[in-house]
Amino acid sequence: MSKETAQQAGEILIRKFRDQFLHGNKEAIYTAVSELIKVQGKIDQELRQEFVNLASNRWPVAEEDIERISAILSEHDGKSPMEQLSLYVIMAPYELVKTNNGYQDKSEEKARRFAREINLNTLVSENALTILQSGEQRQTYNFGEEIGRISGPSIDFIKAVVQSLADIEEQKQNPAFVLGFLAGTADDTFIRETIDLLLQHHNTERHAVRAGRYLKVMLTDLLKYENVLLRSPETIQNLQYIHAEALPLNEFESYIRWLVKLGEQGYWQALDTIHLALYRNEERWHELKAIVRELVSGANIISFDAGVLIKHTYETIALRLVKEDNDSVLSAYLAEGAVQTFSSHFFRSESLIENLLVNLLEYQWDTVWPILGHYLLEGDIQIADQLIEVLKSFRRYDEEKLLQWAQENKPEGPRRLAAFVEFERSDEEGNVTLTPIIISLLNFYGADERLLSELSSRLHTFSSVGSAMPIFERRKRLAESLLTHPVDEVKDFAKREIGYFENDIEREKRFIENFGLGEF
C-alpha cells in the first residue's frame, strides 16, 4: 500500500471509525489501523483523536479495549522532543475522561508532565519557540504556565521567546505560550520586563496589553499602553482583564479619565472598569459616584457602537444616578442623547433605549416629557415614529398633564396623544371600553379628521395567534360605543369603523369555513 493510498484509506476509516468500532467489526478496525501505521510510520492526528475519544469513558467500551487502545497510543508516542511537543502540547488531542467527580482533562495533565521533563535550552535549541507561538495551539498555555512555575523568571529565555514571536507574521502569531509562562512565574518585576520587550516590536505590542492581566497593576503600567491603544483601538478591550479596580482612588480616577481620551472604545472600557469595581465591592459606589457622573454625562456614549451588555451597564448606572439624586439636569441630558439615537437609520439597542426613556419618564416626568414632546412635534418623522413606539409601552403618565400639553399644542398635540396613549381597557368580566383619555380627546378634538385617522390606525393594528375574530368583534364593540357621541364627526367615524369590522368579521368567517380552522 502506498502512502497516498494509506492516506485515502485513513480518511475513509476516520469517517466511520466510531460506529464501526462500537457496532461493527472492531477487530477489523484494529487490523486496518495496524496496516496504516506500518505504511505511515505513525498514528495520524485525527485517528489518534478517535482512539482517545473511545478511551474517555464516554462510550460503552470494554476495559480490555481501553487497555489495548492505550497500549497502541503509548507504543506510537513521539520519541524526539519535537514529536512529543506536537503530540502533547501543540496538537494535543482533546482528552476528557469521566470520573466520579466529573471530567478530568488528561490532555492538560500530559502537557504539564511534559513541561516538567523538558528544559528551556531544548526549547531554544530545537527551534521549538516558533512552532509554539504560531497557528493553532491546544495545550500551549498550560504547558507554558507549568514551565514558568518550575523555572521561574529567566530574562535570557524570555528575550528569545519574544524575539521568536516578533519574527512570526503578526496574523499567524499565538501568544498562548508567553502568556502562560508569565502566569506561571507570577513575578511582577519579570512580567513588567517582558511587557517592555513586547512593546519594542509593533507586531507584538498588542500582546503586551494582554500580559498586563498577570500584574498587580499600577497606573504607570497602564499608561505604557497609550501609543498601542491609539494605533489599534480594538486592543482596548484587552484591558478588561486587568484588575485596575485595585488602584488607589486618585489613580483609579486618573485611569478612567485617561481611557476616555482614547475615544469611543475607551469610554466603554472606562464604564466596564467601573462596573467591575462595583461588582467586586458595592460599597465603593459613594466614593466612585463623582467619576461615574463625569463619565455618564461626558458624551452621548449610548450612541457609540458597543455590545448590548455594556450598554445595559451604562443604562443601569445612569438611572441609578438619576434616581438617587433626583437629578433633573442629568435626566434631560440622557433623554436628549437617547432621542438622538433615533436619527440614525441603523440605530442599535432599541430595547435598551426604550427602557432608558421609560424609566426617565417615571423618575423625572416634568423634566423629560417636555423634551420628548418637543421631538414629537418638531422632530423629523423617523424620530417621532420611534418615540411613539416607545411611549406606547409607558402607562404611568398623568392624564391631566398630557391633556394640558395637547391643549397648548393644538392641533398636532392631540393627534400625537391619540397615536400612543392606551386606548382600550378590559374589566374582570371581559367588558372592553375606550380609556378616559381617549374619550377626552374625542370630546374636545373629535372633529379633527387626522386625530380620528390616528385612532382608526390604532383600532386596526394588532397581532393575533389563531383567528382574529375575537379582536374584530371587540374592536367593533368599541366603535359601537361611540354611536351616541355628541360630536357628529365621531358618530360618522363610529359608523365607518363598524362597517370595516363587519367586513373583517365576514371575511374571517369565510376563511374559517373554507379551511376548517375554528376559533382559537
Side-chain angles (χ1 to χ4, degrees):
M1 185 190 304
S2 67
K3 288 190 175 181
E4 182 179 348
T5 302
Q7 182 177 352
Q8 293 173 348
E11 291 173 355
I12 295 171
L13 178 63
I14 288 167
R15 286 200 295 269
K16 301 291 185 180
F17 188 89
R18 190 178 307 161
D19 285 342
Q20 287 297 315
F21 192 96
L22 295 174
H23 309 296
N25 187 346
K26 64 183 177 185
E27 287 302 324
I29 295 292
Y30 282 127
T31 300
V33 170
S34 178
E35 290 299 317
L36 288 174
I37 292 174
K38 286 180 183 178
V39 176
Q40 296 177 329
K42 63 179 182 178
I43 297 180
D44 179 85
Q45 185 67 37
E46 291 183 79
L47 189 57
R48 179 180 290 275
Q49 182 68 64
E50 290 294 337
F51 265 137
V52 167
N53 289 342
L54 284 173
S56 66
N57 294 333
R58 287 181 289 174
W59 305 99
V61 178
E63 189 63 34
E64 61 188 49
D65 283 313
I66 292 177
E67 292 177 0
R68 190 172 176 183
I69 289 170
S70 298
I72 292 172
L73 294 177
S74 297
E75 182 182 353
H76 296 284
D77 276 352
K79 303 305 178 185
S80 72
M82 293 299 286
E83 288 176 325
Q84 291 179 324
L85 192 65
S86 176
L87 179 63
Y88 296 134
V89 181
I90 297 170
M91 294 302 294
Y94 302 105
E95 193 172 356
L96 288 176
V97 177
K98 193 173 183 179
T99 67
N100 293 333
N101 298 319
Y103 284 95
Q104 183 178 6
D105 191 341
K106 300 292 289 185
S107 187
E108 179 181 341
E109 287 183 3
K110 291 177 182 178
R112 290 185 181 277
R113 183 168 62 246
F114 181 56
R116 293 191 290 272
E117 296 169 356
I118 201 168
N119 62 62
L120 302 187
N121 290 333
T122 301
L123 290 177
V124 176
S125 62
E126 294 283 346
N127 198 33
L129 295 178
T130 299
I131 62 171
L132 271 173
Q133 299 188 97
S134 58
E136 181 182 2
Q137 301 290 330
R138 295 185 178 176
Q139 287 292 333
T140 306
Y141 181 89
N142 294 322
F143 175 73
E145 184 180 43
E146 191 69 13
I147 288 180
R149 186 183 67 81
I150 294 168
S151 69
S154 171
I155 193 63
D156 290 336
F157 177 68
I158 206 63
K159 284 181 178 178
V161 170
V162 172
Q163 186 57 59
S164 176
L165 184 62
D167 291 339
I168 300 169
E169 187 179 343
E170 186 171 3
Q171 289 73 17
K172 296 179 180 179
Q173 292 176 1
N174 188 320
F177 178 74
V178 65
L179 296 178
F181 188 83
L182 294 179
T185 65
D187 184 298
D188 280 358
T189 300
F190 178 69
I191 294 171
R192 288 189 174 94
E193 291 175 339
T194 304
I195 288 173
D196 289 340
L197 291 172
L198 291 167
L199 288 172
Q200 289 177 9
H201 307 275
H202 282 320
N203 68 338
T204 64
E205 61 185 9
R206 60 194 174 98
H207 306 311
V209 182
R210 299 181 66 181
R213 75 177 72 179
Y214 305 110
L215 281 172
K216 184 179 180 181
V217 73
M218 298 187 296
L219 183 59
T220 52
D221 297 319
L222 299 167
L223 298 182
K224 288 181 183 179
Y225 298 138
E226 182 165 3
N227 291 332
V228 183
L229 302 178
L230 289 173
R231 276 194 295 269
S232 305
E234 71 279 0
T235 308
I236 292 175
Q237 64 184 342
N238 290 319
L239 293 172
Q240 65 185 300
Y241 303 109
I242 294 176
H243 299 299
E245 75 278 359
L247 292 169
L249 180 59
N250 63 325
E251 292 190 1
F252 183 81
E253 291 179 342
S254 296
Y255 174 56
I256 296 299
R257 294 187 181 100
W258 174 75
L259 283 173
V260 166
K261 293 177 182 179
L262 299 176
E264 287 191 16
Q265 295 300 318
Y267 263 105
W268 288 121
Q269 186 54 50
L271 186 64
D272 189 59
T273 301
I274 288 173
H275 174 68
L276 185 61
L278 294 172
Y279 175 78
R280 290 177 171 161
N281 185 0
E282 172 62 24
E283 294 180 0
R284 296 193 68 186
W285 168 252
H286 291 292
E287 73 173 11
L288 295 178
K289 202 170 183 180
I291 192 66
V292 171
R293 182 181 301 279
E294 184 178 324
L295 177 64
V296 169
S297 60
N300 184 21
I301 60 178
I302 200 169
S303 66
F304 293 173
D305 187 10
V308 172
L309 287 178
I310 191 62
K311 285 196 173 185
H312 176 70
T313 298
Y314 167 80
E315 175 196 336
T316 302
I317 288 178
L319 288 174
R320 182 174 181 177
L321 286 171
V322 169
K323 190 175 181 180
E324 283 189 5
D325 297 345
N326 194 27
D327 193 328
S328 59
V329 174
L330 181 58
S331 297
Y333 174 82
L334 293 171
E336 285 278 1
V339 171
Q340 287 302 317
T341 63
F342 294 143
S343 62
S344 167
H345 291 288
F346 303 101
F347 71 90
R348 302 169 176 86
S349 307
E350 295 95 326
S351 62
L352 289 178
I353 295 168
E354 176 181 326
N355 192 59
L356 177 63
L357 286 173
V358 165
N359 278 282
L360 287 172
L361 282 169
E362 182 176 357
Y363 301 149
Q364 288 280 327
W365 171 273
D366 290 338
T367 297
V368 175
W369 171 250
I371 295 170
L372 304 190
H374 167 77
Y375 281 101
L376 284 174
L377 298 172
E378 306 295 339
D380 63 29
I381 293 176
Q382 180 173 326
I383 290 179
D385 287 347
Q386 292 295 339
L387 268 179
I388 285 170
E389 291 305 309
V390 169
L391 291 167
K392 283 179 181 178
S393 65
F394 187 69
R395 292 288 179 266
R396 294 179 294 276
Y397 41 71
D398 186 318
E399 294 185 3
E400 289 187 9
K401 289 183 178 180
L402 279 183
L403 290 171
Q404 178 63 33
W405 176 84
Q407 173 66 23
E408 294 169 355
N409 293 279
K410 293 185 297 184
E412 199 61 34
R415 298 166 183 167
R416 291 304 190 188
L417 292 194
F420 73 81
V421 295
E422 185 181 14
F423 73 93
E424 65 174 344
R425 288 178 184 168
S426 298
D427 60 24
E428 294 180 356
E429 297 178 356
N431 298 313
V432 63
T433 59
L434 291 167
T435 58
I437 193 168
I438 288 292
I439 295 296
S440 295
L441 289 173
L442 291 174
N443 289 342
F444 291 112
Y445 314 106
D448 184 349
E449 287 297 329
R450 286 182 57 186
L451 182 142
L452 295 174
S453 177
E454 288 286 1
L455 182 56
S456 179
S457 177
R458 301 287 301 281
L459 287 171
H460 292 276
T461 302
F462 56 85
S463 60
S464 68
V465 177
S467 173
M469 183 74 76
I471 300 175
F472 291 145
E473 291 175 340
R474 187 172 74 244
R475 297 287 168 86
K476 179 187 173 186
R477 291 195 297 272
L478 285 177
E480 288 172 342
S481 71
L482 296 174
L483 287 173
T484 58
H485 196 277
V487 178
D488 290 339
E489 288 84 353
V490 175
K491 284 189 285 192
D492 292 340
F493 165 79
K495 293 173 185 177
R496 290 197 303 272
E497 293 300 316
I498 291 169
Y500 296 149
F501 285 118
E502 286 177 345
N503 290 335
D504 291 337
I505 290 168
E506 286 301 315
R507 185 175 62 252
E508 189 74 4
K509 282 180 179 178
R510 290 194 298 271
F511 182 80
I512 291 170
E513 291 169 357
N514 290 336
F515 293 94
L517 296 176
E519 295 183 31
F520 57 91

